[in-house]
Amino acid sequence: SGGRSDGACWEAWGKLEAVEGLAAERAKEDAWFKQKAEPQAQTVGDESPCEVPDEVLPGAGGAEGSLEGAADGLDLWDSCRALASRVGSEEGERLVQVLLGESRDRSHTQSQYARLGEGLASEHGPWGGEPAMDQALEKHWMLDPAEDRLRCRRKLVRNPWGSSHAASHAARGHTGRESKDLRDKTRGEGGGQGWREETLTKYQKRSDSLSDTSSLEDATEEGEEEEAEEAEAEQVARAEEEAVPPEAVLFSEPVDLLARAPLVVTAGSLEVTRDTLRFTATEEEADLEAAGSAGEAGPKTNPASHAWSVAKVEAKTWQCRHVTKLAFRYYALRFVAMEIFMADHTVLMVNCKTPEAAQRLHAAISLKSRPSGLVLQPQEPREVLKWTRAHGLGLTEAWVQREITNFEYLMTLNTIAGRTYNDLAQYPIFPWVLSDFESASLDLTDPKSFRDLRFPVGIQRPEARAEVAGRYRELESMLDSEDGDALDPLSAPFHYGVCYSNPAFVLWYLTRLEPFTSLSIHLHDGHLDKADRMFRDLGATYRACTSNPTDVKELIPEFFYMAEFLDKPAHLDLGTTQAGEATGSVKLPPWALGDSKRFVRLHREALESEFVSANLHHWVDLIFGYKQRPPQMANGSVEAVKACNVYRFYHYPDAFSMAEVEAEDPATHEVWTRTANEFGQVPVQLFPRRPHPQRLPLHQADIIWPIASAVPGAATCLPWQPQPAKPKHLLSFGPKAVSTKAVVLIAEVGHGRMLTLDALRVMGYHTKEPKPPDVVPPYTLKIDKAALDLATAIDRMGGAASSLGGADGGPLKAMSSLTSGGPLVGGHRERRLGVPFASLGTASSDPPPSTWQSTWPSKVHLAHDGAAQLAHCPSKDLAEPSFQPSVQPSSQVDGQVDGRGGSQGGAPPRPSSDGQGRSDLGAFREVSAELGPHLFAVHGKLLFSSRHWDGSFKVTDLETGQVLQSVALHHDVVTCLALAPEAKPSPLLVSASSDCTVMIWDLELESGGAGGGGGPVVATPRHTLTSHDDPVTCVAACAALDLVASASSGAVVLHTLHHGTYLRTLEMGNASVEGAEAASGDAGRGGSRGIDWA
């Protein structure tokens, strides 16, 4: 079709040739390098000749050299070091770096090659689209690691390694030793670990600054002053820092790359230069061995079905300019890790081994590499909490004042406290909020529908609380010291032997969703767990958690925003229970009506309900606050004992100096680390001294009621609470005329400034000054009279077509005087946008007569808050009278046709060009899009406009009205634009065209508007998307979801924004897709948002 058969094929063909050429060049370089390395190794140091193993050289075996070495279990790093020791120190070190660089580059090339192949063979690729082939290929999906602003993972992407795990079914029920031990531990069997408690007291931390809680506030105030001084010193250091060469190594130390830790941990080295972050694995483990086969008691299974989920990362490179945030983290009870947040919303986590190494990594990136989009934050979690702002308030104050939702507050607290998806032992924690899983309808105004948030989930019943408290007193009496001293934390009593969050609990909840299905198979020694032990019934799970004190697991965030993890994929067989019942999707409460999406929506409403809002601070005290730690620990409190909220000592970070443990007793350190990873860890304590404040009731909060969405919790007021006062009616004020023709765009452009653009392309700059809310109207709107007069003059001259027509140039001369600083314009600002819009109809050398049949409003209405709105929707016959050049359609020349025709030979046809990279426009095609806001995008003082007759989109400076840049790389009229202003490190612009393509552009705004093409838009698009078969009519972009949604006749196609990766197509049959809208930047606020189309 038009979008795939010409330029797209040539582009893909060229990429494949480039990749194959690179592989050939690499092979030649490897052969030459091997010839040079062997003689040199024989002449240095040794009497006997040095044999260089073929496996050491990544390219020795052709394109698969390094992979064959890894498959054979060869340690590439050790081999390089052995070779380096033979050829000398200086030359050997260079040799090692070259070999590792070769391995890293080859891994990157192979991944890019595989990615290109997947795109070419997809259903919308130039090599795909065959119905028989598409039906034969079974589609598997997995959770994408990209996170939105609230760290929610909302997207499912294709899983190229997906399978039905048929081999794991045959091995079901055979339990290996590893999985049996782990299951015993997660059932609360905390004893029997062989702790040498009498020898561990010396490792207890005795930090006066932590144990003396009375001086915490004074230390906090002093810390704020020190933080300000450090920030000032840092600015001075940045100013004095000399320019760093691009290849200068700023940081190079051994680290562990953490991805789904503790199951996937790759040891390696991280190298930081000014431009790149490069990770290279130092341990090449065979994937088959890493994945593991069945346990000793079970049969061998096919490791290919799940090995990909625990495969080690051989090498990976990131761009430093894409780093947006650095956060210090705990790992295995030590403050030695760091999370690196990237612009594509992925998060990299590394274990730096020591706090000093983490500091050096932070300095290398923040002070020397200096990413432009990096937002610096304090290091300590409590300082980060004070630093975090929301709507101009502190985080907790914003929640109390109801400026943010309960979900947003809990997710932010989890992030600050170090909870992360990269470590399953520190997965984010959310509370059980409901207790009613039996009723046919859910009543969110009845307190009996909710769980008691004052106590841990395992002791919801009074008799359970009495049992747990009695056991604690019994242990306390047994372990109390004879001399009456304070109890040793190592032998202190506890209420629970297992934490409320650990890797086994997380995988148990997410078994139906990849990659957690494969991780569960790996955890159970190559097979799925027995059906009776799986997560099958939500109501039964809650009853088990509230009746068994050894089963105290809380929920995970997915219960409040994702429905897919509750549904069983069609290809996955989870087995049958002993009663013969097949295990399918999770059994939901009756009020969910069997719909997982309905359950998630109602569950989210329950989280935002008034009962939970009034009691959530109690749960925060248990998990993040002053009830978290027992009195034997620093910042502990007897309130934790009263609330029955004490766990074993190895769940708490900073309970002991793990560095001292590792130095004096490595075996004990290994046991502690393994225990923390398997049993889970308590979050960092954020509120150590006093109770958390309560949230304001809805009727006491100062709320601005939105027009088109609901206030969270508004319909869930408790019986004793007054109903909040809702507005009775929508107040609208009189319209203001800004043009004589249809207004197609209204945008805020700075404080108190408003831009309007009409169908005559006249730009109006209006001033809006707010007034006190008791004044009617609460604003003053000053209309741009010069713009209104210009539109009136153009209309009197017979419209745009007549004003530009004529051989004598009379009307054109009159128009020029109106737009070049005359009295109507006022000053030297250009009042008219670009060139005429493309028209509907066919090409002609003479413009058709002006026929305006507009039903669009030419007046602006302001609502009670002063926001400008159009009166009603546009009509489909609205179009500017055409202004079309005398261009004849391109014809066949020498047996070839233009880019919109057929092909010649076996290769894709190259589009004909005018010498400037554009195909011949030929006849104007019918543009299905109407004039409207989808043709424009506004960012700061820049206006981006499309649908111009010359096939370009243009950038206009709103201060001067001058066109800064005209970009014409599409082969037809640009039909729509979308802007992702929150993308990092710079905003991204998306353009779509009637040539069936979508292009993603980088904007260079900080460099003075020099994007390489003479303006703010970079001359070459970042990605060209070619998945459409018909002209693209609308497009939307969302940086928070890393998503581009584009629509054509009958289909909505989804790609990733930063990488341009094809995701899927939503087929709409023969219906014409008129619009698409992606989720806003604050996705996650007030409920799940997705893509709407009409």
Side-chain angles (χ1 to χ4, degrees), residues 194-201 479 488 490-492 648-649:
W195 303 111
R196 293 170 290 173
E197 299 181 354
E198 69 278 2
T199 65
L200 299 181
T201 306
L479 301 175
D488 182 1
L490 287 169
S491 57
R648 290 296 297 262
F649 71 94

Side-chain angles (χ1 to χ4, degrees), residues 334-357:
R334 297 180 63 186
F335 201 53
V336 295
M338 180 173 293
E339 279 196 308
I340 305 174
F341 294 75
M342 310 303 292
D344 61 355
H345 295 272
T346 57
V347 182
L348 165 70
M349 187 173 182
V350 293
N351 172 23
C352 299
K353 309 296 182 68
T354 65
E356 295 76 17

Side-chain angles (χ1 to χ4, degrees), residues 335-560:
F335 201 53
V336 295
M338 180 173 293
E339 279 196 308
I340 305 174
F341 294 75
M342 310 303 292
D344 61 355
H345 295 272
T346 57
V347 182
L348 165 70
M349 187 173 182
V350 293
N351 172 23
C352 299
K353 309 296 182 68
T354 65
E356 295 76 17
Q359 292 283 354
R360 290 192 291 271
L361 175 59
H362 185 275
I365 297 176
S366 61
L367 298 181
K368 298 180 180 179
S369 180
R370 303 180 187 177
S372 59
L374 177 62
V375 177
L376 295 175
Q377 66 177 25
Q379 298 181 11
E380 295 295 331
R382 293 175 201 165
E383 296 299 320
V384 177
L385 177 64
K386 293 189 299 182
W387 171 83
T388 305
R389 312 291 291 178
H391 300 275
L393 303 173
L395 180 66
T396 300
E397 182 64 20
W399 176 77
V400 170
Q401 298 296 333
R402 306 186 77 101
E403 294 292 336
I404 58 177
T405 64
N406 293 338
F407 181 88
E408 185 174 357
Y409 185 57
L410 290 179
M411 205 67 189
T412 308
L413 289 182
N414 271 280
T415 300
I416 296 174
R419 312 305 288 189
T420 172
Y421 297 118
N422 289 309
D423 186 358
L424 299 180
Q426 300 186 86
Y427 209 81
I429 310 165
F430 269 66
W432 288 93
V433 294
L434 289 174
S435 63
D436 182 6
F437 294 93
E438 305 295 337
S439 301
S441 61
L442 181 63
D443 185 2
L444 296 181
T445 64
D446 185 359
K448 296 180 180 179
S449 300
F450 297 91
R451 161 242 179 129
D452 191 344
L453 292 167
R454 296 174 299 171
F455 300 100
V457 66
I459 53 172
Q460 292 294 293
R461 297 180 296 109
E463 54 269 24
R465 290 196 288 273
E467 177 186 350
V468 170
R471 183 171 62 183
Y472 182 90
R473 289 191 297 268
E474 182 180 355
L475 290 174
E476 188 176 30
S477 63
M478 293 171 55
L479 301 175
D480 197 0
S481 58
E482 296 180 358
D483 55 2
D485 294 338
L487 290 176
D488 182 1
L490 287 169
S491 57
F494 56 91
H495 292 107
Y496 315 100
V498 63
C499 190
Y500 38 72
S501 175
N502 60 47
F505 291 167
V506 174
L507 296 181
W508 190 74
Y509 280 134
L510 299 175
T511 300
R512 293 166 177 80
L513 181 66
E514 289 285 12
F516 304 101
T517 306
S518 295
L519 291 174
S520 299
I521 294 174
H522 169 69
L523 185 65
H524 291 90
D525 298 325
H527 61 80
L528 289 164
D529 199 5
K530 290 185 178 181
D532 294 275
R533 290 198 294 252
M534 286 187 175
F535 176 39
R536 302 179 62 251
D537 188 333
L538 192 60
T541 300
Y542 176 76
R543 291 190 293 272
C545 292
T546 55
S547 60
N548 183 5
T550 64
D551 186 5
V552 293
K553 52 180 172 286
E554 291 280 9
L555 296 183
I556 56 178
E558 284 81 356
F559 276 91
F560 299 93

Side-chain angles (χ1 to χ4, degrees), residues 101-124:
E102 284 289 321
S103 175
R104 182 169 52 240
D105 293 344
R106 188 173 305 281
S107 176
H108 177 72
T109 301
Q110 290 173 341
S111 64
Q112 291 294 100
Y113 191 93
R115 183 177 173 182
L116 281 173
E118 292 174 7
L120 293 171
S122 66
E123 60 264 35
H124 284 281

